[in-house]
């Protein structure tokens, strides 16, 4: 039986690319995303065409029981989950305080923080019984710095970071590796940055800063880092890591 890697938030950018990378290393990858069944099926087909194993489902992480039921079904139908890649985004856009509704603020928290809590509450006890497991959590600059227009996002991602610290404090000594990965810059991803900017602006940004310029973070290189973290020896676990392009100033100097 192959080890199982569960990717929550398996879009066309980081999540899907990380899934492909783990599948290439011998994992059965379970891919979960909110929408776009065609894109999900294409991703699964691509992995299988390259000799890997993959399955997946569509789910709304903000709804009750969806994450818990999916983890239970994976454990029963596929196998014990060894790695969770939690890659749910929670960016609702640049909004002034007066334009940030209670509903939008709460949704951001549900996606960024409560969903991680639900995943951890379900999978960590299973990993604890087995004495091993890895949680790799994608994060953002907003987890460490609140900018104008980011009231909901910064509050939610800051909560995600603190939750990761608490999870690490409780479950690290029990053999579960919790890594909070802060992406401090723009990622060359059509499902996130592409949707925020629109096709024309996104392509212009790629041509001016990305591609051969390496000014946008490449999902394939991010995936290399995620795999490295999953393979770390427990005597030198990384709990928190920040990534950015060589052309970007770090968050504390911006």
């Amino acid at each position: 039986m192959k080890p199982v890697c569960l990717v929550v938030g398996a879009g066309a950018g980081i999540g899907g690319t990380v899934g492909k990378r783990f599948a290439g290393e011998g994992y059965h990858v379970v891919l979960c995303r909110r929408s776009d069944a065609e894109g999900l099926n294409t991703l699964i087909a691509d992995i299988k065409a390259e000799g890997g194993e993959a399955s997946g489902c569509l789910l709304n992480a903000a709804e009750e029981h969806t994450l818990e039921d999916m983890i239970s079904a994976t454990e029963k139908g596929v196998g014990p989950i060894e790695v969770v890649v939690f890659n749910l985004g929670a960016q609702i856009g640049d909004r002034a305080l007066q334009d940030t509704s209670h509903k939008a603020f709460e949704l951001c928290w549900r996606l960024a923080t409560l969903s991680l809590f639900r995943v951890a509450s379900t999978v960590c006890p299973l990993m604890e019984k087995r004495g091993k497991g890895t949680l790799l959590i994608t994060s953002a600059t907003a987890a460490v710095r609140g900018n104008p227009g980011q009231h909901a996002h910064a509050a939610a991602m800051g909560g995600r970071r603190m939750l990761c610290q608490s999870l690490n404090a409780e479950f690290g000594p029990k053999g579960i590796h919790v890594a909070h990965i802060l992406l401090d810059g723009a990622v060359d991803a059509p499902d996130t940055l592409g949707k925020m900017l629109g096709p024309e602006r996104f392509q212009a940004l790629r041509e001016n800063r990305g591609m051969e310029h390496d000014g946008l973070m490449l999902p394939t290189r991010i995936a290399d880092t995620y795999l490295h973290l999953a393979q770390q020896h427990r005597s030198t676990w990384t709990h928190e890591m920040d990534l950015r392009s060589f052309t970007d100033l770090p968050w504390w100097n911006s």
Side-chain angles (χ1 to χ4, degrees):
M1 179 183 295
K2 290 190 173 185
V4 177
C5 173
L6 170 64
V7 182
V8 182
I14 296 170
T17 305
V18 171
K20 284 185 177 181
R21 188 73 174 87
F22 274 79
E25 290 295 315
Y27 286 80
H28 180 115
V29 181
V30 179
L31 306 161
C32 302
R33 59 193 298 176
R34 187 180 186 279
S35 59
D36 188 13
E38 182 179 355
L40 176 62
N41 291 333
T42 298
L43 178 58
I44 292 172
D46 288 345
I47 289 173
K48 291 182 176 179
E50 294 174 1
E53 290 187 8
S55 54
C57 65
L58 299 180
L59 62 80
N60 185 347
E63 294 180 355
E64 292 185 2
H65 308 301
T66 53
L67 293 165
E68 296 85 349
D69 290 346
M70 177 269 300
I71 291 171
S72 177
T74 299
E75 288 269 334
K76 292 177 181 178
V78 183
I81 299 169
E82 291 199 11
V83 178
V84 173
V85 177
F86 186 85
N87 188 59
L88 279 185
Q91 175 59 271
I92 64 170
D94 186 8
R95 304 187 187 189
L97 180 62
Q98 61 268 30
D99 297 325
T100 305
S101 67
H102 289 187
K103 182 178 180 180
F105 188 93
E106 182 178 341
L107 177 61
C108 198
W109 167 76
R110 285 185 178 278
L111 291 173
T113 312
L114 181 60
S115 291
L116 174 59
F117 172 80
R118 290 167 55 199
V119 168
S121 295
T122 307
V123 79
C124 283
L126 300 172
M127 291 180 171
E128 182 180 352
K129 289 179 181 178
R130 297 190 283 263
K132 64 177 182 177
T134 301
L135 272 66
L136 305 176
I137 297 96
T138 303
S139 192
T141 308
V144 290
R145 186 183 67 199
N147 286 329
Q150 296 295 310
H151 307 285
H153 193 223
M157 297 305 285
R160 177 179 289 190
R161 183 177 184 233
M162 292 297 100
L163 177 55
C164 286
Q165 290 191 9
S166 292
L167 289 172
N168 178 65
E170 180 173 352
F171 291 99
K174 298 175 181 179
I176 300 172
H177 184 189
V178 180
H180 177 259
I181 306 143
L182 197 158
L183 303 183
D184 186 29
V187 179
D188 189 354
D191 275 4
T192 50
L193 189 61
K195 288 182 178 179
M196 289 176 61
L197 297 178
E200 293 183 2
R201 290 178 61 198
F202 178 54
Q203 184 59 30
L205 180 64
R206 294 186 78 232
E207 292 175 358
N208 292 329
R209 285 186 54 193
M211 298 191 289
E212 72 275 9
H213 305 296
D214 293 331
L216 299 179
M217 286 187 282
L218 300 175
T220 53
R221 299 307 180 186
I222 294 172
D224 291 341
T225 297
Y226 279 56
L227 181 64
H228 165 70
L229 290 171
Q231 295 176 337
Q232 282 184 320
H233 189 269
R234 64 181 183 176
S235 67
T236 52
W237 273 351
T238 297
H239 167 63
E240 185 165 76
M241 171 185 286
D242 53 344
L243 304 176
R244 66 188 63 80
S245 166
F246 78 108
T247 59
D248 288 338
L249 287 174
W251 63 268
W252 60 84
N253 284 336
S254 298

